[in-house]
Amino acid sequence: MDKAKRAAVIAGNWKMNKTPAEAKALIEEMKPLVADAKCDVVLCVPYVDIPAATEAAAGSNIKIGAENVHFKASGAYTGEVSADMLKAVGVEYVIIGHSERRQYFGETDQTVNLRTKAALDAGLKVILCVGETLEQRELGYTEALLEYQTKIALTGVTAEQLKNVIIAYEPVWAIGTGVTATDEQADEGNGFVRNAVAAAYGADVAETVTIQYGGSMNAKNAEGLLSKVNVDGGLIGGASLKAADFSVIVKAASK
Ligand code: PGA
C-alpha cells in the first residue's frame, strides 16, 4: 500500500453555519495559515455563502465546495440546486451522501448514486460519504455496510470518472459527537471502503483513490489518524469553523 499514489485532501464541512460576511472573514483568516499546505484544501460551505467564499478564496490554494447537489439538471424541484448551477458559481467540489442528509432528509443509497453521477457528469469533484451507525457496528455489519454503500454509490461511475471521487468514511456515531474512531478503527473502516473499490475497479485503481476519515477529527487527534496507511485526509465539521484548529489539521496532512 503506497500512500504517495493518492492526494491527501483536507476538506471542511461547514454544515449550516456562517453568513456570507462570516464566511469571508473566516476564509481571510485561514488563507495565510494554510498557504504552504502540501495537501489539497477544500471548504464546503452553505449555498448562500458560495459567492463570498469563492471571492475570498480566489488566488489562494483553498478550493470551494458545496454540501449537496440535486441529480436533475433543472425543473420543478423546489429548494434544490443543480450541478451546472454549482459549476456556474465557481464550485469545484461537492459533498454527497452525508449522514445528516441520509438521516434527516430521506436520502437513500440510490439518490446518492444519482447525485454522484450528475455531479461527475457536470465536471464537479465528489466527496462521497459512507459510514455505519452505532447499531450497525454493534451488530457486526460495518464491513458489509461499507461495501454495500460504496458499491451502490459508485454504480455506473467509470474508472475514469472515479479519478474525481474522494470517499469519506464517516462512522455516524463519531460525527459531531466528540467521540472519534480510534486510529485503528479509522484505518480499518477506510480499508473496508478501499476493498469495496478494489472489488469493483481492481486493486490498482483502489490504491489511487483518496479515502478520508471524518467524525470529530480535530487539532489534537488528526496526526494520529492521518498517520494510518488508509487514511488519506479528513472531512472536518466542527474544527473547520476555527481557522487555527483547521490549519493544524492541514499541517498534519502536509507531513
Ligand atoms: P465533525 O463532522 O467533524 O463535526 O464530527 C464531520 C462531518 O460531519 O463531516
Side-chain angles (χ1 to χ4, degrees):
M1 194 70 72
D2 182 359
K3 270 185 116 165
K5 284 188 183 161
R6 40 197 188 253
V9 183
I10 297 294
N13 173 14
W14 285 5
K15 310 193 179 186
M16 196 170 72
N17 292 290
K18 304 290 173 191
T19 64
E22 290 166 348
K24 180 179 182 331
L26 182 52
I27 292 171
E28 294 297 350
E29 197 186 343
M30 280 181 179
K31 275 199 288 193
L33 300 178
V34 303
D36 56 3
K38 291 192 190 67
C39 61
D40 293 343
V41 181
V42 183
L43 293 174
C44 298
V45 306
Y47 292 137
V48 295
D49 292 342
I50 289 168
T54 51
E55 199 184 312
S60 79
N61 58 331
I62 298 175
K63 312 273 189 235
I64 300 302
E67 298 177 12
N68 197 15
V69 63
H70 197 256
F71 41 87
K72 293 287 187 177
S74 63
Y77 302 100
T78 303
E80 294 295 326
V81 170
S82 76
D84 284 342
M85 290 172 186
L86 293 179
K87 279 291 278 186
V89 289
V91 165
E92 292 181 58
Y93 290 78
V94 62
I95 297 172
I96 293 178
H98 191 279
S99 67
E100 287 151 16
R101 300 293 321 172
R102 297 177 191 253
Q103 201 175 336
Y104 306 135
F105 303 99
E107 290 187 20
T108 65
D109 291 311
Q110 284 70 28
T111 59
V112 168
N113 174 241
L114 292 174
R115 285 171 211 272
T116 299
K117 286 190 289 191
L120 292 170
D121 286 346
L124 291 166
K125 292 192 170 79
V126 169
I127 300 175
L128 168 67
C129 301
V130 296
E132 82 288 0
T133 63
L134 187 58
E135 189 186 15
Q136 288 162 338
R137 172 167 282 265
E138 286 173 347
L139 288 169
Y141 290 145
T142 301
E143 182 171 11
L145 195 276
L146 290 176
E147 181 180 359
Y148 175 84
Q149 279 188 344
T150 304
K151 281 191 177 165
I152 294 199
L154 295 175
T155 300
V157 172
T158 66
E160 191 57 31
Q161 287 180 309
L162 192 69
K163 291 177 181 160
N164 287 320
V165 177
I166 293 165
I167 305 176
Y169 166 54
E170 297 208 308
V172 179
W173 46 271
I175 294 177
T177 57
V179 181
T180 315
T182 63
D183 299 348
E184 290 69 30
Q185 284 171 325
D187 197 41
E188 181 185 59
N190 282 29
F192 291 153
V193 172
R194 202 177 303 285
N195 290 343
V197 176
Y201 297 90
D204 288 355
V205 171
E207 290 236 339
T208 65
V209 175
T210 295
I211 304 180
Q212 300 172 318
Y213 167 79
S216 300
M217 191 189 271
N218 59 38
K220 289 204 178 75
N221 61 28
E223 190 161 354
L225 290 162
L226 292 164
S227 72
K228 289 296 177 186
V229 69
N230 273 309
V231 181
D232 307 316
L235 183 57
I236 324 293
S240 72
L241 298 169
K242 295 185 197 122
D245 288 11
F246 188 68
S247 70
V248 169
I249 300 170
V250 167
K251 283 194 177 70
S254 298
K255 284 183 181 157

